[in-house]
Amino acid sequence: MPTGEASTLPTQRTSGTRTLPGPAALRALAMAFAHLQDFTGFVGGLQAALDKAEWFGRIALEVEDKSGADERRFRLGEMVLPVQGAAGSHGVLRATGRNGPRSFGPEDLHLLSGLADFLAVVLDRAQEWREVERFRQLLGFLLNQAPVGILAFDGQHRVAAGNDLARRWLSGGGDLWAALQAALPAEVRDNGQVPRACFHLRIEGRLVFGELRNPPGGAEAGVCVVVMTDLTADQARLLDALHRETYRCQLRRLRLGFALLESPRIAGGLLQVLPELRAGLPAAVAAGPYDANRVGLVFPGCGRTTIMAHLRRLKPLLADAPVRGSLAELGREGSEPERLLQTALVGLRPFDELLRPALLLHDDSSAVNDTLAYVLGGEFELVKSTNVEQTRQLLRTRSFDALITEVELRGASGVELAHLAGDLQPGIRTFFTAFSELAAEAVRAQETGDPVVFQKPFDARMLGRTVREKLGI
């Protein structure tokens, strides 16, 4: 409570050569607000401002975490007021004389009460900032525990939250927004309305895949979140599997194929469906990222026909992404893993085109080949030949799903040609054509596995339907 006689209110006038400390106190108060985000520094600044206000002698701001005071806190000749804000009690404001106890009047009470109310309001805000800073530090600690890089940008392209890993991967602490824009594909940079975009970086010897997402309505304001994942280990496992299986299959005289799938649209592309791709393949097949656009598949012990069957079963998973693909086979394209990889990289073509079965048509008559091509050309990739040596060379240098050949050829046997195809390309299907019933019966008696023979002149619809059924398309 106030005791004693009333004191006079301070003024901003000078008395002689002495300047009253009001302006200095206000400047000190302004300096305190520069430390609003630092609660301890802010309170220290407030106390420095109060020290310059010599209106009551000495004023002390005692900030406590818990409210409540006992009688020992109140001393004679001292005025104590609670600093109580909307957020609760912050402590007390204690006023006394500069050199000891003094008396206070009603005017002192009103002035100190207003000062306590003002301090309570600003301490409410400082408390909020302290909690915000505490949560920010906690969020930063939690984000740094994540195995991925995370950055969130606000509408002014400033980092609102993030972890050290993302900062290092993106630019090493430089202008993060500019580094992000440089990493994005050109079509994304030119179109700020894209709600989702992806990119990849080669940094520190690592392959880093990044995905940028804008919340609803956030693209226009520049608000976005970036998540980056290190794919180096997955890429290394894929290339290690290619090397290991290449030499193992060579040693055991097994077939091997390396398929590469590429999606030019990274967002919603192959990396997003990689778990589903793995689930749709045999356990022996190794599947992993070659980079952010491409996925590699190692098929040990598999020939072209088996590999194509597996790839066709994956097609529904890739329906939403424009995909190109390629296939390199051990022995046919090379015997070194690096050669297989290079062949797959340069041989990429539209996925539907890759999956289209390749048929080798051999007949002495080009007219028969043309007729077969007319019947089958819409669904198959066709190669026609009327020369036996050319056909043998094609079987040695190109992969085919099936061979269609006449049984009775001039200067050669269609059955022997089929055996050569089977030796060079295990798994290839063979279809025969024959003029005479006798030749057709001879093939059925000679060949195992219920060979398919089309009697000339053949039914075009039946021939096309049979070939499609036997090839499983």
Side-chain angles (χ1 to χ4, degrees), residues 1-7 102-106 108:
M1 305 181 53
T3 60
E5 298 178 355
S7 67
R102 56 156 293 182
S103 60
F104 294 94
D108 301 316

PDB file of all heavy atoms in Angstrom, residues 1-7 102-106 108:
ATOM      1  N   MET A   1       0.837  -1.200   0.000  1.00  0.00           N
ATOM      2  CA  MET A   1       0.000   0.000   0.000  1.00  0.00           C
ATOM      3  C   MET A   1       0.865   1.240   0.000  1.00  0.00           C
ATOM      4  O   MET A   1       1.968   1.249   0.532  1.00  0.00           O
ATOM      5  CB  MET A   1      -0.907   0.064   1.230  1.00  0.00           C
ATOM      6  CG  MET A   1      -1.775  -1.098   1.459  1.00  0.00           C
ATOM      7  SD  MET A   1      -2.791  -0.884   2.899  1.00  0.00           S
ATOM      8  CE  MET A   1      -3.554   0.663   2.587  1.00  0.00           C
ATOM      9  N   PRO A   2       0.349   2.388  -0.503  1.00  0.00           N
ATOM     10  CA  PRO A   2       1.123   3.634  -0.424  1.00  0.00           C
ATOM     11  C   PRO A   2       1.081   4.192   0.985  1.00  0.00           C
ATOM     12  O   PRO A   2       0.099   4.083   1.688  1.00  0.00           O
ATOM     13  CB  PRO A   2       0.420   4.536  -1.425  1.00  0.00           C
ATOM     14  CG  PRO A   2      -0.976   4.026  -1.500  1.00  0.00           C
ATOM     15  CD  PRO A   2      -0.903   2.586  -1.260  1.00  0.00           C
ATOM     16  N   THR A   3       2.166   4.779   1.413  1.00  0.00           N
ATOM     17  CA  THR A   3       2.237   5.409   2.738  1.00  0.00           C
ATOM     18  C   THR A   3       2.901   6.746   2.598  1.00  0.00           C
ATOM     19  O   THR A   3       3.609   7.027   1.638  1.00  0.00           O
ATOM     20  CB  THR A   3       3.046   4.531   3.705  1.00  0.00           C
ATOM     21  OG1 THR A   3       4.352   4.379   3.192  1.00  0.00           O
ATOM     22  CG2 THR A   3       2.396   3.165   3.881  1.00  0.00           C
ATOM     23  N   GLY A   4       2.683   7.612   3.579  1.00  0.00           N
ATOM     24  CA  GLY A   4       3.365   8.897   3.597  1.00  0.00           C
ATOM     25  C   GLY A   4       2.689   9.935   2.742  1.00  0.00           C
ATOM     26  O   GLY A   4       1.549   9.815   2.332  1.00  0.00           O
ATOM     27  N   GLU A   5       3.430  11.011   2.429  1.00  0.00           N
ATOM     28  CA  GLU A   5       2.890  12.152   1.703  1.00  0.00           C
ATOM     29  C   GLU A   5       2.976  11.919   0.207  1.00  0.00           C
ATOM     30  O   GLU A   5       3.773  11.131  -0.293  1.00  0.00           O
ATOM     31  CB  GLU A   5       3.679  13.408   2.077  1.00  0.00           C
ATOM     32  CG  GLU A   5       3.565  13.744   3.554  1.00  0.00           C
ATOM     33  CD  GLU A   5       4.399  14.954   3.891  1.00  0.00           C
ATOM     34  OE1 GLU A   5       5.102  15.437   2.990  1.00  0.00           O
ATOM     35  OE2 GLU A   5       4.378  15.382   5.056  1.00  0.00           O
ATOM     36  N   ALA A   6       2.143  12.682  -0.539  1.00  0.00           N
ATOM     37  CA  ALA A   6       2.123  12.539  -1.985  1.00  0.00           C
ATOM     38  C   ALA A   6       3.371  13.152  -2.581  1.00  0.00           C
ATOM     39  O   ALA A   6       3.898  14.134  -2.084  1.00  0.00           O
ATOM     40  CB  ALA A   6       0.875  13.228  -2.561  1.00  0.00           C
ATOM     41  N   SER A   7       3.825  12.538  -3.662  1.00  0.00           N
ATOM     42  CA  SER A   7       4.956  13.078  -4.416  1.00  0.00           C
ATOM     43  C   SER A   7       4.449  13.755  -5.661  1.00  0.00           C
ATOM     44  O   SER A   7       3.298  13.591  -6.050  1.00  0.00           O
ATOM     45  CB  SER A   7       5.921  11.945  -4.782  1.00  0.00           C
ATOM     46  OG  SER A   7       5.307  11.076  -5.697  1.00  0.00           O
ATOM     47  N   ARG A 102      10.909   5.469   1.246  1.00  0.00           N
ATOM     48  CA  ARG A 102      10.356   6.799   1.035  1.00  0.00           C
ATOM     49  C   ARG A 102       8.850   6.703   1.126  1.00  0.00           C
ATOM     50  O   ARG A 102       8.284   5.605   1.213  1.00  0.00           O
ATOM     51  CB  ARG A 102      10.785   7.336  -0.321  1.00  0.00           C
ATOM     52  CG  ARG A 102      10.419   6.436  -1.489  1.00  0.00           C
ATOM     53  CD  ARG A 102      10.306   7.186  -2.804  1.00  0.00           C
ATOM     54  NE  ARG A 102       9.182   8.097  -2.765  1.00  0.00           N
ATOM     55  CZ  ARG A 102       8.816   8.861  -3.802  1.00  0.00           C
ATOM     56  NH1 ARG A 102       9.532   8.835  -4.909  1.00  0.00           N
ATOM     57  NH2 ARG A 102       7.776   9.643  -3.739  1.00  0.00           N
ATOM     58  N   SER A 103       8.189   7.849   1.118  1.00  0.00           N
ATOM     59  CA  SER A 103       6.723   7.868   1.198  1.00  0.00           C
ATOM     60  C   SER A 103       6.139   7.998  -0.203  1.00  0.00           C
ATOM     61  O   SER A 103       6.752   8.557  -1.114  1.00  0.00           O
ATOM     62  CB  SER A 103       6.276   9.049   2.072  1.00  0.00           C
ATOM     63  OG  SER A 103       6.744  10.266   1.505  1.00  0.00           O
ATOM     64  N   PHE A 104       4.925   7.457  -0.403  1.00  0.00           N
ATOM     65  CA  PHE A 104       4.223   7.480  -1.682  1.00  0.00           C
ATOM     66  C   PHE A 104       2.834   8.059  -1.491  1.00  0.00           C
ATOM     67  O   PHE A 104       2.188   7.831  -0.456  1.00  0.00           O
ATOM     68  CB  PHE A 104       4.104   6.070  -2.246  1.00  0.00           C
ATOM     69  CG  PHE A 104       5.432   5.459  -2.611  1.00  0.00           C
ATOM     70  CD1 PHE A 104       6.110   4.667  -1.704  1.00  0.00           C
ATOM     71  CD2 PHE A 104       5.999   5.700  -3.851  1.00  0.00           C
ATOM     72  CE1 PHE A 104       7.325   4.103  -2.019  1.00  0.00           C
ATOM     73  CE2 PHE A 104       7.219   5.131  -4.171  1.00  0.00           C
ATOM     74  CZ  PHE A 104       7.889   4.333  -3.260  1.00  0.00           C
ATOM     75  N   GLY A 105       2.351   8.760  -2.486  1.00  0.00           N
ATOM     76  CA  GLY A 105       1.016   9.321  -2.454  1.00  0.00           C
ATOM     77  C   GLY A 105       0.101   8.681  -3.478  1.00  0.00           C
ATOM     78  O   GLY A 105       0.487   7.765  -4.219  1.00  0.00           O
ATOM     79  N   PRO A 106      -1.166   9.170  -3.560  1.00  0.00           N
ATOM     80  CA  PRO A 106      -2.123   8.597  -4.521  1.00  0.00           C
ATOM     81  C   PRO A 106      -1.641   8.703  -5.967  1.00  0.00           C
ATOM     82  O   PRO A 106      -1.869   7.798  -6.773  1.00  0.00           O
ATOM     83  CB  PRO A 106      -3.376   9.426  -4.289  1.00  0.00           C
ATOM     84  CG  PRO A 106      -3.239   9.981  -2.917  1.00  0.00           C
ATOM     85  CD  PRO A 106      -1.776  10.208  -2.708  1.00  0.00           C
ATOM     86  N   ASP A 108       1.368   8.548  -7.029  1.00  0.00           N
ATOM     87  CA  ASP A 108       2.336   7.473  -7.253  1.00  0.00           C
ATOM     88  C   ASP A 108       1.638   6.149  -7.512  1.00  0.00           C
ATOM     89  O   ASP A 108       2.050   5.353  -8.369  1.00  0.00           O
ATOM     90  CB  ASP A 108       3.260   7.343  -6.040  1.00  0.00           C
ATOM     91  CG  ASP A 108       4.022   8.629  -5.753  1.00  0.00           C
ATOM     92  OD1 ASP A 108       4.515   9.212  -6.746  1.00  0.00           O
ATOM     93  OD2 ASP A 108       4.109   9.006  -4.596  1.00  0.00           O
TER      94      ASP A 108
END
